[in-house]
């Protein structure tokens, strides 16, 4: 029971991060029917910029509490990621809006590779440790351990997801985003600036991605230039699981994928008689992806999106 509860907590932490990243994928798909494979690299760059800023501040002898240092790092990483997301949309995707779907898809993969290689040139291939600046007190709940950092990750992810729901459902910008997702041409006739809405979608998704990247780096105590590929692929799987294009589906898919992956890795050794260990946990994301695509390609909450796909 202790192991089950521990894996459930771990799954909620990882699932919260997957959900935040999956929101970036699903928002862009909902607006443009484009799978932005470069989103994983935005997540990576958010993490790397934050670590770099914190290291510079600590190296310069700045005496600030750990959470404040992290906040300063985030205040640098989020604008960088937002600018990157905006630039990618304007330079790589906007000229291809009327092109066959394969063209922007291949472009997205190309942009992902370019960003990854650029990150390797800037930060190198080695792992970058996350500075030990955050409190690491451990709390015991029902025999399972959870740290202050993990609690903060879950709480912050829930706040961000709640804020995004409010923005989309209750604000003028959100109504314009929903109108553009429904029918861009009609939205344009109703006075919506579709180009601005699409750009804002990339900017908001990139900001969420940057914060998710910092969560990943803090949770695993490290980041590296090629981390965006795997974390992006898992978040994409979460978006497909929930129903890509559906905001609620991305959250549900992220949490479910995190729990499935965590429980699977916890019991994988027992299930396979010790042949496979927890280091093979990544296979669960892709097993889930295959099962969803075979039996329910529209995802758990993506009935309307199935017609687009």
């Amino acid at each position: 029971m202790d192991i089950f509860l521990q894996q459930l907590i771990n799954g909620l932490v990882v699932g919260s991060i997957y959900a935040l990243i999956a929101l970036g994928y699903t928002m862009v798909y909902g607006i443009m029917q484009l799978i932005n494979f470069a989103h994983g690299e935005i997540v990576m760059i958010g993490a790397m910029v934050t670590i770099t800023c914190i290291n510079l501040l600590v190296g310069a002898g700045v005496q600030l509490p750990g959470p404040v240092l992290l906040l300063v790092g985030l205040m640098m990483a989020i604008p960088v990621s937002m600018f990157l997301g905006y630039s990618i949309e304007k330079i790589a995707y906007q000229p291809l809006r009327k092109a066959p779907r394969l063209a922007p898809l291949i472009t997205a993969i190309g942009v992902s590779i370019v960003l990854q290689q650029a990150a390797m040139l800037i930060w190198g291939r080695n792992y970058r440790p996350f500075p030990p600046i955050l409190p690491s007190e451990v709390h015991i709940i029902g025999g399972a351990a959870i740290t202050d950092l993990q609690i903060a990750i879950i709480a912050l992810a829930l706040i961000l997801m709640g804020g995004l729901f409010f923005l989309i459902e209750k604000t003028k910008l959100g109504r314009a985003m929903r109108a553009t997702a429904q029918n861009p041409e009609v939205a344009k006739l109703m006075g919506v600036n579709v180009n601005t809405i699409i750009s804002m979608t990339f900017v908001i998704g990139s900001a969420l991605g940057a914060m998710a990247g910092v969560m990943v780096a803090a949770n695993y105590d490290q980041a590296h230039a090629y981390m965006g590929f795997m974390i992006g692929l898992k978040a994409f799987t979460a978006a497909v699981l929930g129903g890509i294009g559906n905001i609620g589906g991305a959250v549900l898919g992220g949490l479910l994928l995190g729990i499935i992956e965590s429980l699977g890795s916890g019991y994988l050794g027992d299930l396979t008689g010790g042949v496979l260990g927890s280091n093979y946990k990544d296979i669960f994301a892709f097993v889930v992806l295959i099962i969803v695509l075979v039996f329910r390609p529209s995802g758990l909450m993506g009935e309307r999106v199935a017609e687009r796909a």
Side-chain angles (χ1 to χ4, degrees), residues 93-168:
Y93 298 148
Q94 190 176 71
L96 299 175
R97 281 186 196 165
K98 295 183 179 178
R101 288 189 179 185
L102 191 58
L105 184 67
I106 293 172
T107 302
I109 295 172
V111 171
S112 172
I113 293 172
V114 168
L115 291 177
Q116 188 182 83
Q117 296 299 312
M120 285 185 184
L121 287 173
I122 296 171
W123 289 290
R125 294 175 176 270
N126 295 330
Y127 284 60
R128 295 287 178 127
F130 191 86
I133 58 172
L134 298 176
S136 57
E137 186 178 349
V138 178
H139 307 276
I140 304 298
I141 302 175
I146 183 169
T147 65
D148 287 338
L149 175 63
Q150 290 175 316
I151 294 173
I153 288 174
I154 294 174
L156 182 58
L158 290 176
I159 291 170
L160 291 172
M161 287 185 275
L164 182 66
F165 276 114
F166 179 81
L167 184 146
I168 290 176

Side-chain angles (χ1 to χ4, degrees), residues 21 26 41 76 80 85 90 92 113 116 121 141 154 178 213 217 227 237 240 247 254:
I21 305 172
T26 212
E41 311 313 323
M76 292 297 297
V80 169
K90 287 295 180 189
I113 293 172
Q116 188 182 83
L121 287 173
I141 302 175
I154 294 174
R178 283 184 282 137
M227 64 181 269
T237 302
V240 173
I247 298 294

Side-chain angles (χ1 to χ4, degrees), residues 16 26 40 79 103 120 175 182 205-206 212 220 226 237 239 263:
S16 300
T26 212
M120 285 185 184
R175 284 194 293 275
Q182 287 283 332
S206 299
Y220 293 104
Y226 40 94
T237 302
L263 288 176

Side-chain angles (χ1 to χ4, degrees), residues 38-39 41-54 56 71-89 91 111 115 118-119 122-123 199 202-211 214:
H39 189 59
E41 311 313 323
I42 299 285
V43 173
M44 173 269 295
I45 288 173
M48 299 299 277
V49 170
T50 301
I51 290 175
T52 302
C53 288
I54 294 174
L56 287 174
L71 186 61
V72 174
L74 265 174
M75 295 301 287
M76 292 297 297
I78 290 173
V80 169
S81 296
M82 292 168 74
F83 176 74
L84 207 52
Y86 177 85
S87 302
I88 290 170
E89 193 277 322
I91 297 171
V111 171
L115 291 177
I122 296 171
W123 289 290
S199 296
F202 273 83
V203 166
I204 294 170
S206 299
L208 292 176
M211 285 185 272
V214 176

